[in-house]
Amino acid sequence: MAVPIAVLDCDLLLYGRGHRTLDRFKLEDVTDEYLVSTYGFPRQFIYYLVDLLGASLSRPTQRSRAISPETQILAALGFYTSGSFQTRMGDAIGISQASMSRCVANVTEALVERASQFIHFPEDEAAVQSLKDDFYGLAGMPGVLGVVDCTHVAIKAPNAEDLAYVNRKGLHSLNCLMVCDARGVLLSAETHWPGSLPDCTVLQQAALTNQFETELHKDGWLLGDNSFFLRTWLMTPLHIPETPAEYRYNMAHSATHNIIERTFRTIRSRFRCLDGSKGTLQYSPEKSSHIILACCVLHNISLEHGLDVWSSPATGHMEQPEEEYEQMESMDSEACRIRQELLLTHFS
């Protein structure tokens, strides 16, 4: 005898009436090993996210059978860390693929709302000095407040402004500008820039530039590669080093700046939805940008919780396009003076 199957409305499942929830999956019923292998994070971390995001994910309405915040978070983590809406993952927590998608949207927006809480530059003097000390301990580069670079994340072709998102490899992408500290903690993340924009243009138009030119510390700088122009607050390598001091400066710069590349690899390794191995993000540029930012928030929270030893290498197919830029020195005489003084004071 055939058993009838009820098809439940996604909104009804997600938001529900009162406090009744679909709790088919219980965290306490499975091992930490299972949670890490399936959802990318251990039990206590997931409990922390439930406390952090629960109020945003529990939206009382007049409908019934809501999906609990815990289940919504598991669904989102499953997508972020696997890169796909796998049927077996939805089956494991008792929801449909369509409900999985809505859970990802809800959790993503809840994380994006809290981005400034977890991604920011330190403000008090002691924290700023600690930031500089950590960088100096890496390769002897003084005054560093962060390392900056861009990375591309593949997205599906948008309906409008198609060419704006085509990068130099002919793929649709978002060009994401990020800054991290010596541990790989993100201090700034702008994830919405179209893939056609070169790194130097992204930085020129970014909120980060306005921050450093109008608000932030005048006694330090970021480190960027030669896809950016030298500025008073952004030290770049010398194109053609000639003296021993210039070679030492470039070597210290490279060793320090490499932290951001390792950070990009780490983020792609943990959040496989960004690495291209499962295809492009199948969302609009705006929603894709929010997913990337949500992963950045989770990256910082995970480091805050000591989850910073990730052994699996990134395997994505979406690498950062090679920038074709002219090796030009900045015409900013004050920036040139600051770099020259840095060479003479610390590398001669």
Side-chain angles (χ1 to χ4, degrees):
M1 177 179 177
V3 178
I5 298 175
V7 179
L8 300 177
D9 174 71
C10 292
D11 287 333
L12 179 148
L13 284 171
L14 281 167
Y15 302 125
R17 179 185 294 118
H19 297 287
R20 293 180 61 197
T21 60
L22 286 174
D23 289 323
R24 300 176 184 172
F25 181 93
K26 297 287 188 181
L27 280 176
E28 57 267 26
D29 292 341
V30 296
T31 65
D32 250 14
E33 289 75 14
Y34 173 81
L35 291 172
V36 171
S37 65
T38 307
Y39 303 103
F41 294 94
R43 189 185 324 274
Q44 291 306 314
F45 184 87
I46 296 171
Y47 281 142
Y48 172 82
L49 292 182
V50 173
D51 290 340
L52 177 69
L53 308 178
S56 297
L57 300 176
S58 301
R59 303 174 184 177
T61 73
Q62 297 306 306
R63 294 172 178 170
S64 62
R65 295 171 62 79
I67 295 180
S68 67
E70 180 179 289
T71 301
Q72 291 186 59
I73 288 168
L74 287 172
L77 292 179
F79 169 71
Y80 298 148
T81 58
S82 74
S84 64
F85 294 114
Q86 299 176 33
T87 302
R88 65 175 181 82
M89 191 173 296
D91 289 344
I93 55 179
I95 62 175
S96 68
Q97 213 167 317
S99 293
M100 285 268 301
S101 180
R102 193 68 65 88
C103 290
V104 170
N106 288 344
V107 174
T108 295
E109 291 312 303
L111 287 166
V112 167
E113 288 171 2
R114 291 161 177 78
S116 61
Q117 177 182 345
F118 294 99
I119 303 175
H120 57 82
F121 283 91
E123 295 180 356
D124 64 275
E125 290 186 13
V128 171
Q129 187 58 51
S130 177
L131 190 65
K132 294 179 182 178
D133 291 344
D134 289 345
F135 275 118
Y136 188 79
L138 292 176
M141 181 69 76
V144 180
L145 299 170
V147 289
V148 60
D149 208 347
C150 289
T151 188
H152 286 253
V153 175
I155 63 171
K156 74 172 183 178
N159 294 327
E161 300 181 35
D162 183 50
L163 293 179
Y165 293 91
V166 178
N167 62 40
R168 300 195 72 88
K169 289 190 173 181
L171 304 174
H172 291 86
S173 68
L174 290 169
N175 194 2
C176 306
L177 178 73
M178 300 187 193
V179 180
C180 74
D181 70 8
R183 287 184 55 230
V185 175
L186 295 174
L187 306 174
S188 177
E190 299 184 36
T191 59
H192 63 283
W193 297 102
S196 66
L197 293 181
D199 294 359
C200 60
T201 303
V202 168
L203 181 62
Q204 183 179 354
Q205 299 177 10
L208 178 69
T209 293
N210 183 62
Q211 281 183 296
F212 267 84
E213 291 186 345
T214 62
E215 301 172 19
L216 286 180
H217 321 283
K218 304 299 182 183
D219 57 345
W221 38 74
L222 302 179
L223 296 187
D225 62 22
N226 277 322
S227 61
F228 304 116
F229 287 107
L230 179 71
R231 300 171 185 241
T232 56
W233 50 269
L234 177 64
M235 294 292 103
T236 60
L238 289 121
H239 175 37
I240 305 177
E242 296 177 346
T243 68
E246 291 175 346
Y247 276 102
R248 284 191 288 269
Y249 166 85
N250 271 13
M251 290 178 63
H253 187 292
S254 177
T256 308
H257 186 265
N258 186 52
I259 292 294
I260 190 69
E261 298 299 334
R262 299 216 306 262
T263 299
F264 289 156
R265 290 195 296 270
T266 295
I267 291 172
R268 291 178 187 277
S269 176
R270 169 145 284 181
F271 303 107
R272 302 297 291 275
C273 68
L274 307 181
D275 77 356
S277 63
K278 300 293 184 180
T280 63
L281 284 174
Q282 296 297 301
Y283 298 91
S284 68
E286 180 182 8
K287 289 184 178 179
S288 295
S289 170
H290 285 186
I291 288 172
I292 300 166
L293 185 56
C295 291
C296 290
V297 173
L298 287 172
H299 167 76
N300 275 11
I301 297 175
S302 68
L303 291 180
E304 190 177 280
H305 284 73
L307 305 177
D308 54 355
V309 182
W310 303 341
S311 58
S312 56
T315 57
H317 305 297
M318 182 59 189
E319 299 297 333
Q320 181 174 345
E322 293 288 334
E323 289 285 352
E324 294 181 12
Y325 51 83
E326 293 184 31
Q327 295 279 1
M328 296 176 61
E329 291 298 330
S330 172
M331 298 304 292
D332 186 335
S333 59
E334 178 63 11
C336 292
R337 184 196 66 77
I338 290 174
R339 186 170 65 180
Q340 188 61 29
E341 182 177 319
L342 182 59
L343 281 162
L344 293 173
T345 304
H346 293 278
F347 296 98
S348 295

